[in-house]
Amino acid sequence: MNCKICNSDNIDNHLHGKYEVTTCRNCKITYNSKFPTKEELDEQYSKYYTLPVDDTHNAERRRLFRYPENLSLIKDIMQYAKPPSSIVDIGCDRGFFLDEARRYGYEVNGVELSNDAKIYNKKIHIEVKDRLEDYDHKFNIATMWHSLEHIENPVEYLGLIKSKLSNPGYLFIRVPDYGSYWSNFMKDKWDWFSPNVHLFHYNIESLEFLLRQSGFAIEKIIQRKPNNTLTKQSFKLSNNIFDLIYDNRLLPRKKLARKVQDIIHSELYVIAKLEYVKQ
């Protein structure tokens, strides 16, 4: 079987910890040698990615925690496309990013499979559809905040994104950094490896290859920590607010888990521009 990204036959099946993965020597991508079934994925998403729709306190705690992060992302987007440009966030969860973006004047839409998340978005009047192809108009910006690694056929999906972007159009991506020190050191114990839901594992070389092959020009690609000093302070502040006002305390083990994640998590952040071929 050839590489799922570049179709090369120069691939190697090997163990990453106790999980078998496939790495292409040509485009440097790594992906699960065996993908979970749809039923297995549905079970995992319902187990790990569900926050009850009536759990308002914890949803708002997360929104407040993510506020500085979302402002930073909006600032970057404004350098390429100012309001009232249109944004589609693929894997938008409860729309925290889109909620902030529309306050700056952007037209916002989302793509999300979680029913609980869609109900939450409906409550705050953000339009969300199951599939990107369900939209019959184009967007200036597409964002994928930790969703590309979940896509079973990234080449095909990036082609779909291209068809939904205007000229000029921009794609913003964040994915776990499979090439990071902690990923290499911890192997399958690195919690962002997550082969039960993360199908592809990107490093800088493979992500650059995929985007360029798909017709995108790289404007910026960096390795970084997902949480900086400001977001760490925001996490602490959001906990204090909900602890004191609502007596809605986050379990100590979750606070400790966040501190560990601040150390071991690393992501790739990419800004790419759609390259149109002149006729």
Side-chain angles (χ1 to χ4, degrees):
M1 185 176 292
N2 292 357
C3 174
K4 292 180 181 292
I5 298 297
C6 69
N7 204 39
S8 170
D9 61 2
N10 190 12
I11 60 175
D12 173 46
N13 293 328
H14 57 97
L15 289 178
H16 185 73
K18 65 180 180 180
Y19 290 94
E20 184 178 291
V21 296
T22 300
T23 297
C24 176
R25 296 186 181 92
N26 181 49
C27 70
K28 312 304 181 185
I29 189 66
T30 296
Y31 51 87
N32 298 348
S33 297
K34 181 182 178 182
F35 283 4
T37 65
K38 182 181 183 303
E39 290 75 20
E40 290 170 334
L41 284 173
D42 289 345
E43 180 182 355
Q44 291 297 326
Y45 287 133
S46 64
K47 182 178 180 181
Y48 294 108
Y49 291 88
T50 298
L51 182 67
V53 71
D54 60 350
D55 193 357
T56 305
H57 290 332
N58 281 325
E60 290 304 306
R61 183 203 302 270
R62 285 177 56 200
R63 186 179 70 84
L64 178 59
F65 162 40
R66 294 297 180 188
Y67 182 67
E69 172 187 296
N70 288 328
L71 289 190
S72 177
L73 295 170
I74 292 166
K75 178 185 176 183
D76 283 352
I77 288 173
M78 291 182 75
Q79 297 179 39
Y80 295 89
K82 297 186 181 302
S85 299
S86 57
I87 298 175
V88 60
D89 187 18
I90 300 164
C92 66
D93 191 39
R94 279 163 170 71
F96 300 146
F97 164 73
L98 292 177
D99 189 23
E100 301 304 335
R102 69 178 173 179
R103 295 170 192 266
Y104 278 79
Y106 286 98
E107 297 177 11
V108 300
N109 294 99
V111 174
E112 177 59 53
L113 292 177
S114 165
N115 287 326
D116 288 348
K118 283 185 287 188
I119 292 170
Y120 186 96
N121 279 290
K122 186 175 182 180
K123 285 168 58 177
I124 62 173
H125 305 289
I126 293 178
E127 182 179 13
V128 173
K129 295 185 182 293
D130 290 342
R131 306 181 307 163
L132 180 58
E133 51 265 46
D134 291 338
Y135 287 105
D136 58 7
H137 61 278
K138 295 197 174 190
F139 303 92
N140 303 111
I141 304 128
T143 57
M144 301 185 78
W145 308 137
H146 287 262
S147 57
L148 180 62
E149 64 271 22
H150 297 259
I151 300 297
E152 184 172 354
N153 191 331
V155 174
E156 180 181 302
Y157 201 84
L158 287 174
L160 174 61
I161 291 175
K162 283 177 60 178
S163 73
K164 293 296 183 180
L165 284 177
S166 59
N167 184 13
Y170 295 91
L171 174 61
F172 290 71
I173 295 174
R174 297 165 67 195
V175 294
D177 180 12
Y178 181 72
S180 69
Y181 167 80
W182 285 106
S183 169
N184 287 314
F185 178 73
M186 298 181 72
K187 303 294 184 184
D188 58 315
K189 299 298 188 295
W190 192 54
D191 61 339
W192 268 6
F193 174 58
S194 301
N196 50 348
V197 289
H198 293 176
L199 308 181
F200 285 81
H201 313 285
Y202 296 97
N203 56 26
I204 284 184
E205 293 87 352
S206 61
L207 191 52
E208 283 184 332
F209 185 98
L210 172 63
L211 288 169
R212 288 182 173 135
Q213 174 182 268
S214 300
F216 289 91
I218 307 294
E219 299 280 322
K220 172 182 179 179
I221 181 167
I222 59 171
Q223 296 172 300
R224 69 178 192 179
K225 292 288 186 182
N227 293 317
N228 57 26
T229 300
L230 190 58
T231 53
K232 292 175 187 176
Q233 292 172 342
S234 181
F235 177 73
K236 183 177 181 180
L237 176 62
S238 67
N239 288 331
N240 289 342
I241 288 173
F242 282 88
D243 285 353
L244 293 173
I245 296 178
Y246 293 107
D247 194 25
N248 181 244
R249 300 179 184 279
L250 198 64
L251 293 175
R253 60 182 175 79
K254 289 192 175 182
K255 293 181 180 180
L256 177 60
R258 173 60 58 185
K259 292 181 181 295
V260 173
Q261 290 164 6
D262 288 339
I263 296 171
I264 68 174
H265 282 180
S266 178
E267 69 177 8
L268 299 177
Y269 178 44
V270 185
I271 303 172
K273 182 177 181 181
L274 179 58
E275 287 191 318
Y276 277 86
V277 178
K278 294 182 179 179
Q279 302 295 328

